[in-house]
Amino acid sequence: MIDFKGIHKTYPGAEPLHVLKGVDLHIGEGELVSIMGASGSGKSTMLNIMGIIDSYDEGEYHLAGHLIKGQDRMEQSRLRNELIGFIFQRYNLISFKNAMENVALPLYYRGVGQKERNAIAMNYLERVGLGSHWNHLPGQMSGGQQQRVAIARALAMHPKIILADEPTGALDSTTTQDVMNLLIDVNRDENLTMVIVTHESSIARQTKRCVRLSDGVIIDDRIL
């Protein structure tokens, strides 16, 4: 599903920053994988390349059988919309839209009609336990509830892969576990490939595989 072969990434500047240094990584369909590493280790850059948000300089990246290299922005956007669901630390919800509208918004950009996209959004809000909160604005919900809306939004696109960047980083310990339980259930029930970048060992231990980065190289990759 995700296949890195010799991936290098350097950010230009007066002193170029070589962030990824020949990374090889294969993540199969349905895997639940955590990526850990200190700040500056390259984990966020790796996730951004996986998500077709950032490019790479050398090597090859195949995503669900597609070689990701040289596509124009429109094609990159199409691949993201078809294949990837994103979950972010700060939720990235639109403050003036209610929960249902936030979940339905990506479906609007895919051209799904209003009645159908609202029905899909409500289905996934029910799935994450927020059907009764469909008309609440983000500011009327707790952090955990907002993250559940963000998860519903990602799932509503029927992606093949979920990429989660510190999805519990802004939550307290109890809410963190609630959200993690939901992600584990989604991985199991939908057989979705899921990659979670985290600095929390307690989160990594609940995944099935942990990849550790240091200074742009993988130093450990083990089944848990």
Side-chain angles (χ1 to χ4, degrees), residues 59-168:
E60 286 189 355
Y61 170 34
H62 286 84
L63 174 63
H66 301 270
L67 174 62
I68 306 301
K69 195 173 185 71
Q71 287 91 354
D72 60 27
R73 290 185 178 181
M74 185 174 294
E75 179 65 7
Q76 289 176 346
S77 178
R78 184 188 69 80
L79 288 168
R80 277 195 300 269
N81 288 338
E82 287 184 1
L83 299 174
I84 303 168
F86 293 96
I87 302 171
F88 302 98
Q89 179 176 349
R90 295 295 178 182
Y91 327 128
N92 285 14
L93 302 179
I94 297 175
S95 61
F96 55 84
K97 291 187 176 292
N98 64 35
M100 182 185 70
E101 291 167 334
N102 266 285
V103 174
L105 187 60
L107 296 167
Y108 167 80
Y109 291 115
R110 190 178 276 185
V112 178
Q114 183 177 14
K115 184 176 181 179
E116 182 181 357
R117 68 176 182 262
N118 287 349
I120 292 170
M122 284 301 301
N123 176 56
Y124 279 99
L125 284 173
E126 293 283 356
R127 172 75 190 276
V128 302
L130 288 178
S132 62
H133 290 64
W134 70 269
N135 60 345
H136 288 204
L137 297 173
Q140 298 171 319
M141 293 184 285
S142 69
Q145 289 171 333
Q146 290 183 66
Q147 191 59 291
R148 285 174 176 269
V149 173
I151 292 169
R153 179 182 59 191
L155 294 176
M157 296 293 286
H158 298 289
K160 293 184 179 295
I161 299 160
I162 293 286
L163 300 178
D165 190 3
E166 300 280 4
T168 61

Side-chain angles (χ1 to χ4, degrees), residues 6-13 15-23 40-42 45 57-58 214-217:
I7 294 293
H8 286 260
K9 176 64 179 181
T10 299
Y11 291 106
E15 295 184 10
L17 185 60
H18 195 179
V19 180
L20 297 180
K21 303 171 182 176
V23 171
S41 62
T45 297
D57 302 318
E58 298 178 36
S214 179
D215 195 25
V217 297

